[in-house]
Amino acid sequence: MSDADPSSPQSWEDALIADLRANGGRPSGGPLAGYPLMLMFSTGAKTGQRRRSILTYSRDGGDYIVAGTAGGAPTAPAWVSNLRADPNVNLEIDNQALDATATIAEGAERDRLWDQHVAELPWFGKYPETTGGRMIPVIRLTPKQPTG
């Protein structure tokens, strides 16, 4: 018998990742069923250790767009700091691995990408209301090799 708590965030993430990998990169059940999800591996800004994040994404041409909402929390998720320190990431999307470079969008480009992201993933539109005025970072992940 395992000592792992099945209700822990780590166990939930591990189960979600197993489901993604078993179903061509799309979750088959639960609250995220059918949504576009990726695994992003970044380098910890403080620890230098490999960090895993499960992110919902949209597309802008050949690039992937993610938003540092932290579920509408008043602080950005740790992975945003990781990308500021080292923009080189590894992605797993639709069971395909690729290397990418992260760029935090600014100004009009950030606003355009945010609006596009919300149009594709409407629930993101509610997050700014709960951040306490925090500007949600929008990140462009550009594959180092072109994708289709």
Side-chain angles (χ1 to χ4, degrees), residues 80 83-84 102-106 137-140:
V80 173
L83 299 182
R84 288 185 201 281
T103 306
I104 299 176
E106 302 287 342
V138 178
I139 295 91
R140 175 183 296 277

Side-chain angles (χ1 to χ4, degrees), residues 88-133:
N88 298 297
V89 296
N90 308 108
L91 307 177
E92 186 177 318
I93 302 169
D94 297 332
N95 286 356
Q96 300 295 315
L98 58 121
D99 295 326
T101 302
T103 306
I104 299 176
E106 302 287 342
E109 177 70 354
R110 182 250 173 236
D111 295 343
R112 180 185 73 78
L113 292 173
W114 173 257
D115 291 345
Q116 180 178 297
H117 196 70
V118 170
E120 291 183 37
L121 306 164
W123 69 91
F124 276 78
K126 69 177 180 162
Y127 292 132
E129 299 169 13
T130 62
T131 63

